[in-house]
Amino acid sequence: RLALLVQHPITATSANRCGMAPASTGMEVLQAFGSDVAVVVESGAALTGAPSTIVDARGTRPKLVRAGVVPWASVLQSLA
């Protein structure tokens, strides 16, 4: 409903500082980031503790930026 309200897609990866465990609740986000975050939308605890898989797809070959819940082999297979 928020995306419809602002008429723009909303995406996010896990919320954490480099090297720290991902936050799984809005309160953990606020504790980790403090005043660096303007808005936190609380929707309950995260369903998984595994972080997002992040891929850099800007070049001709994808690069794994961070391993996460989606295995790298599955990412490569989906691009084949």
Side-chain angles (χ1 to χ4, degrees):
R1 294 181 4 202
L2 180 60
L4 289 173
L5 179 67
V6 298
Q7 297 182 349
H8 191 72
I10 300 170
T11 64
T13 63
S14 49
N16 61 296
R17 296 209 186 264
C18 183
M20 302 300 291
S24 62
T25 66
M27 183 58 70
E28 289 178 4
V29 171
L30 291 173
Q31 290 171 342
F33 292 93
S35 63
D36 290 341
V37 174
V39 176
V40 173
V41 177
E42 179 65 73
S43 62
L47 299 178
T48 178
S52 304
T53 302
I54 300 178
V55 178
D56 180 349
R58 294 176 293 178
T60 57
R61 294 169 48 159
K63 289 190 270 184
L64 179 64
V65 175
R66 180 178 71 191
V69 69
V70 178
W72 182 237
S74 294
V75 172
L76 293 176
Q77 184 179 15
S78 73
L79 298 173

